[in-house]
Amino acid sequence: MKKRQGFLFVLILCLYISGCGRKETGSELLTETKEAVKPVEEAVPPVAEQTVEGTALHVYSGDEEAEHIVQRTVYVEEVTEQVVMTELAAALNMDETVKLKSLTFGMHGGDQVAMLDMNQAFADYLNRLGSAGESIVMGSLVNTFLDCYQCDLLMITAEGKVLKTSHEVYEEYLEMYAYTEGSYRVKEMVLSEGDIRISCPQIEGLEDENIQGKWNRIFLGTEERAMDAWDASGTYEVTYEVKTMTKDVLSILMNGSFYGEDAAHPSSFKYTYNIDLNTGESIRLADHVDVEKLAENMFAGVGYYVEESLAPYFQERLPVIYESPEALARSLEGYDYTENGNAPYGYSYISDGKVWICMEVPHALGDYVEIELDAQ
């Protein structure tokens, strides 16, 4: 009996010792994520360009309306992690109590990971922001450090533990947030009449005024025709989301809904604008995606992602809506607006470097479904 008690004691001691080497983060997922990173022992220098004005540092922050993340260049004597944090804090008007505790690096697979540990004041600061403000701050922080150190992924903690706010729990790797390098803006023009309310995008500050004028007329003309065509009783509303806003591409998703007085439920619709800001031309899905291959993949159930709750039903209904991959490919070929104004079969947009399509589906599936493609 004594031998068994001794064995149990040794076993418990071993478990205790092994447990001491596992630094808990307050989240099992975050702990496992951190443990999957192989530390980089050598120093990781910042990637910064030397200019006559000083060392160029790209700092990300919200635009004047705090709606989008923009990239700005500042010039400093040298780039260190504390200098980066100081410039970022100034751009975001952060509390002076917010501090960076440590910055370390590692490898996960073939990706270089930056691991940022902030103090509790940073978590407290985020918790005083709304969801939109939090997204701007987090996106600016992630982008600034990933850009400066040319890393692929960023992991962020507060006092070594999982960063939790009233809106998000940051347990996994973060990638670059969408941002704009351009100096132009997209402003809202509200069109309203009775129960109709439309948020119409309008571009301001684009260097090429001809392209700006062309697309502002297209935006306004499309929405005014929609207002004139709506003769039913009930509500009609359209809003927009800027999905990509760079110096080369502007991609906007329009979200609409209407609710007739006799309807049991509201109906929704979506359409998009994708603009090549160098040429002023519309970008269509078939311009940058092999639609035949995409159709084959979708019928095979690979190469795309759809909301998990819809996935089984969508895969079941797809062959019913489109009898064959060839029929689906013909439809995809006709996605997005042409210069002659012909009505498209569907729409696509670009977000975070990925292509998404908005496909019309039966009302039971929500009228339209947004599908993320593997294609870049």
Side-chain angles (χ1 to χ4, degrees), residues 149-170:
Y149 291 92
Q150 291 296 288
C151 292
D152 305 295
L153 305 169
L154 185 138
M155 182 191 304
I156 184 166
T157 53
E159 302 290 347
K161 295 189 175 183
V162 62
L163 173 61
K164 297 181 181 179
T165 72
S166 56
H167 306 107
E168 294 287 345
V169 178
Y170 298 93

Side-chain angles (χ1 to χ4, degrees), residues 323-341:
E323 295 180 353
S324 66
E326 292 74 21
L328 176 57
R330 286 194 296 272
S331 176
L332 295 171
E333 181 76 29
Y335 269 44
D336 299 310
Y337 285 112
T338 62
E339 293 301 313
N340 61 19

Side-chain angles (χ1 to χ4, degrees), residues 100-163:
L100 167 63
K101 296 194 68 178
S102 68
L103 173 63
T104 55
F105 300 91
M107 295 297 297
H108 181 261
D111 294 324
Q112 182 163 301
V113 183
M115 293 169 285
L116 210 63
D117 188 35
M118 305 296 294
N119 65 355
Q120 184 59 41
F122 177 71
D124 297 338
Y125 168 72
L126 284 181
N127 270 304
R128 292 195 294 271
L129 302 176
S131 60
E134 178 179 321
S135 180
I136 291 289
V137 170
M138 286 297 295
S140 300
L141 182 77
V142 170
N143 287 8
T144 299
F145 277 92
L146 288 183
D147 187 326
C148 181
Y149 291 92
Q150 291 296 288
C151 292
D152 305 295
L153 305 169
L154 185 138
M155 182 191 304
I156 184 166
T157 53
E159 302 290 347
K161 295 189 175 183
V162 62
L163 173 61

Side-chain angles (χ1 to χ4, degrees), residues 5-47:
Q5 287 178 336
F7 170 76
L8 288 173
F9 174 77
V10 172
L11 177 61
I12 292 170
L13 180 62
C14 289
L15 290 173
Y16 173 77
I17 292 173
S18 64
C20 289
R22 180 182 175 94
K23 186 176 180 182
E24 294 297 335
T25 64
S27 160
E28 184 176 346
L29 176 58
L30 180 59
T31 299
E32 293 174 354
T33 302
K34 291 183 73 174
E35 290 179 346
V37 176
K38 182 181 180 181
V40 172
E41 301 298 336
E42 62 272 15
V44 176
V47 179

Side-chain angles (χ1 to χ4, degrees), residues 123-307:
D124 297 338
Y125 168 72
L126 284 181
N127 270 304
R128 292 195 294 271
L129 302 176
S131 60
E134 178 179 321
S135 180
I136 291 289
V137 170
M138 286 297 295
S140 300
L141 182 77
V142 170
N143 287 8
T144 299
F145 277 92
L146 288 183
D147 187 326
C148 181
Y149 291 92
Q150 291 296 288
C151 292
D152 305 295
L153 305 169
L154 185 138
M155 182 191 304
I156 184 166
T157 53
E159 302 290 347
K161 295 189 175 183
V162 62
L163 173 61
K164 297 181 181 179
T165 72
S166 56
H167 306 107
E168 294 287 345
V169 178
Y170 298 93
E171 300 176 282
E172 300 181 83
Y173 305 118
L174 299 171
E175 298 179 315
M176 288 286 287
Y177 283 55
Y179 69 94
T180 175
E181 298 173 344
S183 58
Y184 65 95
R185 300 170 299 281
V186 177
K187 301 282 287 186
E188 178 188 39
M189 174 186 287
V190 177
L191 307 176
S192 62
E193 181 180 311
D195 291 325
I196 303 175
R197 189 185 189 282
I198 298 174
S199 293
C200 176
Q202 291 286 278
I203 305 171
E204 290 186 355
L206 193 65
E207 185 175 346
D208 192 318
E209 294 183 355
N210 291 328
I211 293 177
Q212 174 176 296
K214 168 187 173 178
W215 281 97
N216 282 345
R217 288 190 295 273
I218 291 174
F219 297 149
L220 185 58
T222 301
E223 304 311 333
E224 287 180 337
R225 286 192 295 274
M227 289 185 70
D228 293 340
W230 178 252
D231 56 3
S233 56
T235 60
Y236 180 97
E237 184 174 2
V238 178
T239 59
Y240 68 85
E241 299 175 62
V242 178
K243 291 296 187 176
T244 292
M245 186 177 175
T246 70
K247 61 184 179 64
D248 299 312
V249 175
L250 176 61
S251 184
I252 300 176
L253 169 65
M254 308 295 293
N255 296 294
S257 66
F258 59 90
Y259 198 171
E261 287 185 352
D262 299 329
H265 304 284
S267 296
S268 63
F269 57 93
K270 297 178 183 289
Y271 53 101
T272 64
Y273 299 104
N274 302 296
I275 309 167
D276 183 330
L277 295 176
N278 296 306
T279 65
E281 302 301 311
S282 178
I283 303 172
R284 308 187 70 209
L285 179 65
D287 292 338
H288 55 138
V289 172
D290 184 337
V291 294
E292 292 183 358
K293 182 64 175 177
L294 173 59
E296 292 174 1
N297 286 344
M298 292 184 71
F299 261 71
V302 299
Y304 73 93
Y305 302 92
V306 69
E307 185 180 330

